[in-house]
Amino acid sequence: MISRLTALAAIFAVVTTASLAYAATVTQQRNAAVSAPAEVVVLERVVITGKRTVSSN
């Protein structure tokens, strides 16, 4: 029978390895998506005009 510490260390190692593998896969997918040309949307210029109102305090 293995100790609790050894069992926790083994579980931690498995979870860490799975997390690193998942992170590497996501990074590769993101890099593939970034290399694809992105659609650029150009919006019209907006001019905001306003008046300062006089407050009566």
Side-chain angles (χ1 to χ4, degrees):
M1 192 167 156
I2 61 174
S3 69
R4 279 186 250 160
L5 182 61
T6 305
L8 287 174
I11 292 171
F12 178 77
V14 170
V15 169
T16 304
T17 304
S19 299
L20 289 173
Y22 176 74
T25 303
V26 169
T27 303
Q28 289 175 355
Q29 290 174 353
R30 186 177 302 149
N31 288 342
V34 168
S35 65
E39 182 179 336
V40 177
V41 177
V42 179
L43 301 175
E44 295 181 26
R45 185 175 176 174
V46 176
V47 179
I48 300 173
T49 57
K51 295 182 180 179
R52 185 176 296 256
T53 60
V54 179
S55 60
S56 57
N57 284 336

